[in-house]
Amino acid sequence: MKKIIVIVLVFIFGGLCLGNSNDSWPILKHYDLEHTSKIRLPLGGIGTGTVSLTGRGELRDWEIMNQPAKGFVGTPEGNRAPFFAIFTKSGNKIATKGLMGPIEYFKYESMEGRGKNNHGLPRFRECSFDAAYPFGIVNLTDPNMDIDVRIKGFNPLIPGDEEASGLPVAVLRYEVKNNSDKNMEVSVCGSMENYIGIDGRKYTRDWKWDVIPTGAKNNKNEFRESDNLRGIFMYSDGVDKTVEQWGTIALTTPDKGEISYRTSVSQGGWCGGLLDFWDDFSTDGLLTEKKFTGGNTPRASLALKKNIPAGETREFTFYLTWHFPNRIAWATETVGNYYTTLYKDAWDAAEKIAPQIKPLEKKTVEFVKAFCESDLPLEVKEAALFNLSTLRSQTCFRTEDGRFFGWEGIMDMTGSCRGSCTHVWNYELATHFVFGNLAKMMREVEFNQATSDNGLMSFRVGLPLEKEATNWKIAAADGQMGTIMKMYNDWQLSGDDEMLKNLWPNVKKALAFAWIEGGWDGDIDGVMEGCQHNTMDVEYFGPNPQMQFWYLGALRAAGEMAEYLGEDRFAKNCNALFSQGSKWTEENLFNGEYFKQIIQIVKSSDEIADGLMAGMGAADLSNPDFQLGNGCLIDQLVGQYMAHICGLGYLGNKEQIKKSLQSIMKYNYRSSAYEHFNNMRSYFLGDEAALLMASYPYDRPKSPFSYFSEVMTGFEYTAAIGMLYEGLTEDGLKCIKNIRDRYDGEKRSPFNEAECGNHYSRAMASWASIIALTGFEYSAVEKSMLFDQLKGKYFWSTGYAYGTAEFSSGSFGKEKVELKVLGGEIELNTFGLRKFGKIEFRKNLKIKAGDVKMISVKNNDNNIGKRVIFVFDESIK
């Protein structure tokens, strides 16, 4: 009996199905007082730098001057740090407090009673923190105050819109509720020194040997007002205008209300300036302007006063904007900042950004709500969403021409490991699926700028590009092969054929570089056995799973791209090498439990092609140190992880792959660090659980590769996501939860997963957990979208569009899918659920932001797992 299956599609236009119209901020994670001490939520845009809102309401890590600055507050530690304060008057009851929670006990001890910034300001007794990045909310209460305060900090974050997500602003909204039965006068004041020229890296020491940051010279503050804003503009007449620390800052408010300000403070001795300020503000909540009496870092203070009726709530909004144009990064000269080309200075930035805040906030709320409402485990959503903060940290930047670059991570006061390092950035997927244009920029730099004529891709790109792009002159085996897979992924997600055609010649060269004499696969047999510099910062000698699976994935990806471009011969060669290499891997590298390395001795460095050794590996090639050997490596299947994401299928034996992941859990998992010896860096301690980089169940080389005893989250995510793909869901989720338990706000910041530095880019591999658990695949080339057969509501994104898909079972054996586009647009020729196969439409369907498609699919058990051609009933509109 011939079977006809009908799919019903209904358009719902405009805002009718955009979701809840309530603009209140979503909350994904709540942190009680004990879990707030380490929280630092970065506020700032992609490539602009950030200021961090702490879990107790302070502003720390002022990283807006083109450099990392962990712990830096612009001034020496003590009562000169930036702060916000509140004044209240209800009847005869007057109170003034700093808008921050209690001081942590471990800050009490100090040689001079100054162990905490603003230690002398009255504070709120009770505090908690709520977050759903980029939103952070500090909740302050005190039994002696008739108010509740919520400090709400954010910066717009909208998938696919790197411009709206790249604004140099920290939005700070102080929401004050009057709990009394009387009308209340309330004033909120922000106060900070103009520290232009000071980024904490240059300093002197006083007689106590305290650090005194230096660099400011003849700084000035000026009150300004316009139709939209009132506030204080901070600039410098003395700092060298060519240095990274030169620029401008503005503290403004868009609110109506009574404004008062100071552009300086009295210069009395023995901290008399702070005393004079506090007395002034505590009298009536208003500030009296002070005549500038000298000094290089005058204090700017801006107060906003409003009346709040009994039982009601009012908001006090402040914008902190900045403009520091002279980024150098790892360059030999200034490369600039893209964001500073859009504004004249910080005041101009405030003027232009202020009108955008409300609509961009609405879009950000819409995105984050849709993400948080997804029916996925909390730890998965937390890992994926909170690690997006790395894109806004000083790890990432955009040069004056708009190109996107990244350090591997950042140390406390400088970048960590230059050059958009391919073998590190290969692991992350947030950029691809959230900001596709930025990912494409990275591919253009890798292939058209960092790749030499012979196909050697410098795994660290130099700056400026026109002079230094290929100056590293060393290729990383994993980095180079991984970029080919990522090129395929970005092409599929974007559908950008012009990008493919433009970069393809160098993609081919980059792959063919593996086949040169003395190269990674010099005998061209589909097996990497040459000298392989890699992300362990050493060279492996001989076949190993880490590089081999990257290579197999690159061959698969290149074969697909070559076939699409009509280069059948090259495609045939790639596919033949892939098949040969995959079979060899199955037969030779799998030891029955996991994939191992076969160490091969190189007689002389003359056998190694130029550009393959970075000088960080073995000194004795006849007996090389720093090898994997018979170890069980955490990311032995990293190439397979990426192949699943790219929709390239299995690169090796499926049963062996699953068994290897089970072995990683069996041998590499540690429930605590109490019995674990580690001679390197420690990223898990005490009772924390983690996956080790490698284990040696049988025999271990005397000197294994450098990081074998460590724990690093980006690698853990890679293994965990592999487990999710293989149906080992309980194990995969356990590993992800262990990571997030370590970054719990008490021990470490939830917004800073570290490896070789803070905000480490590899940790953004966490985004792939969303993809693995939904089975999401999208191709703008084939115009197709595919999910696993699911129940519930799930978020999806392509890097250029995003939305939700809600799955449910209808009557009479129907499967229903509500496909909603929240941002961007997609065009579909096919849509599918793996259980039912792909739905082929007669006419491409274009779905724009705000549109919803209702899909009703009828099937029976006989067709499960088979490809089914669905008929679109065009009579249904």
Side-chain angles (χ1 to χ4, degrees):
M1 180 178 177
K2 186 175 181 180
K3 181 174 182 180
I4 298 178
I5 302 154
V6 178
I7 174 170
V8 180
L9 302 105
V10 181
F11 266 114
I12 304 178
F13 292 94
L16 295 179
C17 285
L18 283 176
N20 193 336
S21 61
N22 183 1
D23 289 333
S24 61
W25 288 4
I27 296 171
L28 182 64
K29 190 72 179 281
H30 175 77
Y31 299 86
D32 60 22
L33 178 63
E34 287 70 29
H35 292 83
T36 59
S37 61
K38 291 293 185 179
I39 292 174
R40 307 285 188 273
L41 188 149
L43 299 174
I46 297 173
T48 70
T50 60
V51 177
S52 289
L53 176 65
T54 75
R56 302 196 179 192
E58 298 165 276
L59 296 176
R60 291 187 65 86
D61 303 347
W62 286 70
E63 301 176 295
I64 61 178
M65 296 186 186
N66 302 303
Q67 290 286 350
K70 290 303 173 198
F72 181 64
V73 293
T75 66
E77 296 285 324
N79 277 336
R80 290 174 57 188
F83 64 86
F84 276 77
I86 190 167
F87 163 89
T88 64
K89 182 180 180 182
S90 179
N92 294 322
K93 185 176 180 179
I94 296 177
T96 310
K97 278 186 181 286
L99 282 163
M100 55 197 83
I103 294 175
E104 303 90 339
Y105 291 125
F106 57 80
K107 288 286 188 178
Y108 280 22
E109 184 178 40
S110 168
M111 68 178 183
E112 203 190 15
R114 303 174 190 266
K116 176 73 174 180
N117 290 323
N118 299 314
H119 51 82
L121 301 188
R123 292 166 174 252
F124 284 74
R125 284 177 169 81
E126 298 171 10
C127 174
S128 64
F129 191 86
D130 296 313
Y133 189 80
F135 299 112
I137 304 173
V138 182
N139 306 294
L140 299 174
T141 60
D142 193 304
N144 292 331
M145 299 286 285
D146 292 328
I147 56 171
D148 293 335
V149 180
R150 300 172 78 210
I151 306 173
K152 302 170 69 176
F154 92 106
N155 177 291
L157 182 69
I158 302 168
D161 193 344
E162 64 275 6
E163 302 299 317
S165 304
L167 304 179
V169 62
V171 179
L172 294 166
R173 194 170 293 142
Y174 294 82
E175 185 179 280
V176 183
K177 181 182 179 182
N178 178 2
N179 292 324
S180 75
D181 57 1
K182 299 178 181 178
N183 185 64
M184 183 180 290
E185 298 177 33
V186 176
S187 181
V188 175
C189 175
S191 183
M192 63 176 288
E193 291 190 13
N194 176 346
Y195 72 102
I196 293 167
I198 303 175
D199 66 359
R201 300 201 303 163
K202 293 183 180 180
Y203 57 87
T204 60
R205 291 185 181 272
D206 62 13
W207 67 274
K208 297 170 292 185
W209 215 238
D210 283 341
V211 170
I212 309 298
T214 61
K217 184 179 180 181
N218 201 20
N219 291 357
K220 303 288 181 64
N221 299 330
E222 174 185 294
F223 178 76
R224 292 183 177 184
E225 56 184 324
S226 65
D227 292 340
N228 299 319
L229 295 171
R230 293 173 290 175
I232 299 177
F233 177 61
M234 290 167 256
Y235 62 100
S236 177
D237 281 342
V239 175
D240 183 348
K241 294 185 178 182
T242 66
V243 300
E244 286 189 298
Q245 300 79 18
W246 177 81
T248 56
I249 304 171
L251 176 63
T252 60
T253 179
D255 286 8
K256 304 302 179 185
E258 188 174 4
I259 285 287
S260 58
Y261 63 90
R262 283 183 168 196
T263 57
S264 185
V265 296
S266 299
Q267 296 297 314
W270 298 99
C271 300
L274 178 62
L275 176 63
D276 178 70
F277 164 86
W278 198 258
D279 285 346
D280 186 17
F281 183 62
S282 298
T283 300
D284 55 9
L286 299 174
L287 298 174
T288 305
E289 171 68 313
K290 293 290 182 178
K291 182 179 179 181
F292 180 64
T293 57
N296 289 317
T297 57
R299 177 169 286 273
S301 302
L302 181 68
L304 175 63
K305 189 174 184 181
K306 299 182 180 182
N307 290 317
I308 306 180
E312 296 191 15
T313 300
R314 294 291 184 270
E315 290 183 341
F316 299 72
T317 301
F318 294 84
Y319 300 146
L320 182 69
T321 53
W322 55 88
H323 186 276
F324 289 86
N326 302 322
R327 182 180 294 275
I328 297 176
W330 59 78
T332 55
E333 59 191 64
T334 299
V335 292
N337 280 311
Y338 172 70
Y339 84 91
T340 59
T341 68
L342 306 177
Y343 315 103
K344 177 183 175 182
D345 53 33
W347 187 269
D348 185 46
E351 286 274 22
K352 290 177 178 176
I353 292 170
Q356 303 179 58
I357 292 299
K358 285 188 177 180
L360 293 181
E361 180 180 0
K362 183 177 181 180
K363 288 296 293 181
T364 304
V365 167
E366 180 183 61
F367 152 55
V368 179
K369 273 189 175 180
F371 185 91
C372 292
E373 291 171 358
S374 190
D375 290 317
L376 291 167
L378 171 62
E379 58 268 25
V380 168
K381 291 187 284 190
E382 181 188 339
L385 187 65
F386 287 19
N387 274 314
L388 290 182
S389 59
T390 294
L391 290 173
R392 328 251 262 183
S393 72
Q394 283 288 356
T395 295
C396 304
F397 60 93
R398 297 180 69 182
T399 50
E400 196 171 61
D401 59 8
R403 284 188 171 102
F404 178 75
F405 297 90
W407 300 88
E408 291 183 19
I410 52 173
M411 298 302 183
D412 285 355
M413 301 301 288
T414 190
S416 172
C417 304
R418 64 182 61 191
S420 301
C421 177
T422 58
H423 64 61
V424 170
W425 277 84
N426 268 357
Y427 288 69
E428 74 86 20
L429 284 155
T431 308
H432 303 258
F433 284 89
V434 186
F435 295 103
N437 287 326
L438 299 183
K440 289 201 300 179
M441 291 178 194
M442 298 190 86
R443 304 294 84 77
E444 190 277 331
V445 168
E446 289 159 356
F447 289 104
N448 272 7
Q449 308 294 330
T451 300
S452 301
D453 290 340
N454 69 345
L456 186 155
M457 179 188 293
S458 291
F459 73 84
R460 299 191 191 278
V461 66
L463 289 173
L465 291 176
E466 57 272 17
K467 296 180 181 179
E468 307 289 344
T470 60
N471 69 352
W472 193 253
K473 302 186 186 306
I474 303 294
D478 49 355
Q480 191 148 326
M481 295 301 103
T483 58
I484 295 170
M485 296 187 75
K486 299 196 99 179
M487 172 66 203
Y488 175 81
N489 191 45
D490 288 329
W491 167 57
Q492 287 289 329
L493 290 173
S494 67
D496 191 342
D497 283 359
E498 288 304 311
M499 176 189 71
L500 176 62
K501 293 173 183 176
N502 178 37
L503 300 184
W504 176 245
N506 279 356
V507 174
K508 285 177 63 179
K509 289 179 183 178
L511 180 59
F513 182 75
W515 307 327
I516 65 173
E517 184 178 355
W520 299 317
D521 185 15
D523 57 1
I524 317 180
D525 63 353
V527 180
M528 268 205 176
E529 59 262 302
C531 172
Q532 303 150 62
H533 185 77
N534 64 80
T535 198
M536 303 306 174
D537 295 322
V538 297
E539 283 86 41
Y540 285 169
F541 294 92
N544 63 87
Q546 185 182 5
M547 258 52 71
Q548 179 63 8
F549 277 99
W550 274 126
Y551 182 34
L552 293 174
L555 288 168
R556 277 284 291 116
E560 291 287 331
M561 291 184 282
E563 183 177 346
Y564 183 84
L565 293 171
E567 297 194 15
D568 295 340
R569 183 176 179 181
F570 191 79
K572 183 178 179 180
N573 289 341
C574 289
N575 293 335
L577 284 176
F578 166 77
S579 297
Q580 186 174 331
S582 180
K583 186 173 187 296
W584 188 95
T585 303
E586 176 183 343
E587 294 174 350
N588 293 275
L589 290 189
F590 189 70
N591 69 0
E593 291 184 286
Y594 55 85
F595 294 94
K596 64 178 183 179
Q597 179 194 12
I598 299 174
I599 300 174
Q600 294 182 350
I601 303 302
V602 177
K603 295 178 181 178
S604 166
S605 60
D606 294 337
E607 297 180 13
I608 302 172
D610 291 342
L612 300 190
M613 296 187 72
M616 300 173 66
D620 182 3
L621 296 181
S622 67
N623 184 25
D625 286 335
F626 313 129
Q627 303 301 293
L628 169 64
N630 201 25
C632 182
L633 184 66
I634 188 172
D635 67 330
Q636 59 188 273
L637 295 167
V638 58
Q640 182 60 67
Y641 148 88
M642 188 59 66
H644 281 317
I645 296 297
C646 293
L648 291 171
Y650 280 93
L651 304 178
N653 182 291
K654 181 178 179 179
E655 287 71 29
Q656 291 180 349
I657 288 169
K658 184 172 183 177
K659 180 64 175 178
S660 295
L661 290 162
Q662 290 172 323
S663 296
I664 291 171
M665 197 67 186
K666 177 180 179 181
Y667 293 125
N668 295 39
Y669 185 80
R670 297 291 182 272
S671 59
S672 83
Y674 280 109
E675 281 72 43
H676 176 63
F677 170 79
N678 174 22
N679 60 310
M680 290 284 287
R681 303 165 298 188
S682 293
Y683 296 112
F684 89 119
L685 297 163
D687 279 325
E688 295 176 329
L691 286 178
L692 299 182
M693 291 291 290
S695 61
Y696 287 89
Y698 305 109
D699 56 279
R700 196 204 80 188
K702 181 176 176 57
S703 298
F705 73 92
S706 45
Y707 309 126
F708 80 99
S709 60
E710 292 188 353
V711 163
M712 305 183 204
T713 67
F715 292 97
E716 289 180 279
Y717 285 126
T718 302
I721 290 160
M723 294 173 194
L724 298 180
Y725 271 113
E726 299 309 318
L728 305 172
T729 306
E730 183 177 346
D731 286 342
L733 293 179
K734 182 178 183 179
C735 292
I736 294 173
K737 186 177 187 303
N738 287 340
I739 295 171
R740 295 312 300 175
D741 285 348
R742 303 200 299 266
Y743 290 84
D744 65 351
E746 180 181 25
K747 300 185 290 290
R748 301 172 186 85
S749 173
F751 308 99
N752 180 10
E753 291 191 16
E755 189 180 311
C756 184
N758 302 295
H759 307 291
Y760 205 74
S761 54
R762 197 186 328 253
M764 290 188 288
S766 55
W767 190 267
S769 59
I770 303 293
I771 303 166
L773 284 173
T774 59
F776 177 72
E777 286 181 23
Y778 174 77
S779 171
V781 178
E782 298 180 357
K783 297 178 173 52
S784 64
M785 184 177 285
L786 185 65
F787 289 92
D788 288 340
Q789 191 179 21
L790 304 165
K791 298 298 179 188
K793 187 176 182 179
Y794 298 89
F795 179 85
W796 58 265
S797 62
T798 69
Y800 309 91
Y802 63 98
T804 59
E806 189 166 3
F807 304 82
S808 61
S809 295
S811 57
F812 306 108
K814 293 181 180 180
E815 293 290 325
K816 294 183 179 181
V817 183
E818 179 185 281
L819 185 64
K820 181 182 295 186
V821 176
L822 297 175
E825 61 179 71
I826 58 175
E827 183 176 353
L828 294 179
N829 175 259
T830 64
F831 177 88
L833 305 178
R834 282 189 178 81
K835 184 176 179 179
F836 291 92
K838 292 183 179 179
I839 304 163
E840 297 184 359
F841 303 114
R842 292 180 181 175
K843 185 178 180 181
N844 286 357
L845 304 173
K846 295 182 179 180
I847 315 174
K848 298 179 180 180
D851 291 345
V852 178
K853 280 195 177 299
M854 300 296 298
I855 302 174
S856 179
V857 180
K858 185 176 182 181
N859 203 350
N860 66 31
D861 293 340
N862 294 330
N863 272 324
I864 293 176
K866 298 181 180 179
R867 177 177 173 81
V868 181
I869 305 299
F870 285 75
V871 179
F872 175 49
D873 188 343
E874 296 185 28
S875 67
I876 300 176
K877 302 296 184 184

